[in-house]
């Protein structure tokens, strides 16, 4: 089905694997198109309640494949390739996990930042590699990074371009958790299935309006919360949650 990625679903989770291990899963135009297609598929599939993005081989993603044409128009590369992918990641109303199995560099780091959660192997690393080739962080990097680590630290990471370990990333608040490489896949799967078994509609609403909150004032956020709560209150999962609470049992959510 795909040339540069793998896509499979199991236990309510869509697994998207960047699959150019010989190139450290560097992005190409084809990969952009396939990632966008996979994200749209996962978003429309009612059986999918969480998404995992990871890399094949020893890297998560090394960023843009620089072995292409000479003097490309990077602005158009972003507008046509990376930006639609990032917008799809943000707009999909399901939790998205970056399973960072190795180095996440340049746009690969941007991809991880655009996800809702980042679970990192203890062998993973992160690097804002753009500065080393005279470029500017892109693919949402300048939006997500300062929101995750603060303005001063974001400037330091972006301008100095120093590699940081998974543990350093955890200390900065860049990753949700760091796990041993030996049990990495099992830990990611456990975390993804946990999210897939939660109230999917509520998670989607949290994601939608938390993203909107950055550009909104308090009164707008209060109204967003009222709209979201009205919607969430009409879901089957809310009814199941209340019933389970009254019956003193664990709720069984269906994502509806």
């Amino acid at each position: 089905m795909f040339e540069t990625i793998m896509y499979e679903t199991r236990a309510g989770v869509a697994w998207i694997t960047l699959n150019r291990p010989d190139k450290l899963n560097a992005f190409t135009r084809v990969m952009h198109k396939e990632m966008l297609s996979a994200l749209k598929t996962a978003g429309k599939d009612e059986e999918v309640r969480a998404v995992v993005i990871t890399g094949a081989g020893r890297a998560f993603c090394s960023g843009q494949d620089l072995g292409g044409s000479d003097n490309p128009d990077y602005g158009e590369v972003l507008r046509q390739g990376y930006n639609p992918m990032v917008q799809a990641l943000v707009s999909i109303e399901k939790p998205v996990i970056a399973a960072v199995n190795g180095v996440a560099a340049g746009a690969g780091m941007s991809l991880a930042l655009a996800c809702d959660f980042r679970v990192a192997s203890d062998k993973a690393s992160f690097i804002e590699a753009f500065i080393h080739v005279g470029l500017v962080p892109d693919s949402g990097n300048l939006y997500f990074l300062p929101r995750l680590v603060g303005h001063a630290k974001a400037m330091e990471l972006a301008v100095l371009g120093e590699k940081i370990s998974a543990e350093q990333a955890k200390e900065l608040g860049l990753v949700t958790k760091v796990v041993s490489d030996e049990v990495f896949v099992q830990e990611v799967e456990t975390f993804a299935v946990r999210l897939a078994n939660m109230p999917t509609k509520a998670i989607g609403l949290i994601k939608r309006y938390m993203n909107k909150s950055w550009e909104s004032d308090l009164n707008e956020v209060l109204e967003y919360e009222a709209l979201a709560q009205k919607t969430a209150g009409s879901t089957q999962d809310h009814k199941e949650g209340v019933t389970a609470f009254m019956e003193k049992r664990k709720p069984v959510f269906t994502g509806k």
Side-chain angles (χ1 to χ4, degrees), residues 51-188:
V51 179
V52 173
I53 300 174
T54 193
R58 61 190 179 91
F60 175 71
C61 177
S62 60
Q64 174 67 19
D65 189 331
L66 297 176
S69 60
D70 295 332
N71 301 317
D73 182 337
Y74 288 121
E76 284 307 303
V77 171
L78 290 170
R79 293 185 187 101
Q80 295 178 20
Y82 289 98
N83 294 0
M85 178 181 66
V86 172
Q87 288 162 345
L89 277 170
V90 172
S91 63
I92 185 172
E93 296 204 336
K94 299 173 183 181
V96 182
I97 305 159
V100 186
N101 55 301
V103 64
M109 181 168 174
S110 301
L111 173 63
L113 297 180
C115 295
D116 303 308
F117 302 92
R118 284 152 295 281
V119 178
S121 159
D122 57 6
K123 293 185 177 180
S125 59
F126 299 81
I127 179 169
E128 292 278 270
F130 303 93
I131 197 70
H132 299 302
V133 290
L135 292 176
V136 176
D138 58 33
S139 308
N141 198 298
L142 294 178
Y143 180 89
F144 295 109
L145 186 63
R147 284 165 169 76
L148 288 167
V149 302
H151 182 92
K153 181 57 68 172
M155 279 292 292
E156 178 185 324
L157 293 173
V159 173
L160 299 182
E162 296 175 346
K163 182 185 289 188
I164 60 172
S165 68
E167 286 296 341
Q168 289 174 309
K170 177 69 168 62
E171 292 172 5
L172 291 174
L174 276 176
V175 301
T176 308
K177 61 179 178 177
V178 178
V179 299
S180 169
D181 190 64
E182 286 73 20
V183 295
F184 178 68
V185 175
Q186 299 96 302
E187 288 287 334
V188 171

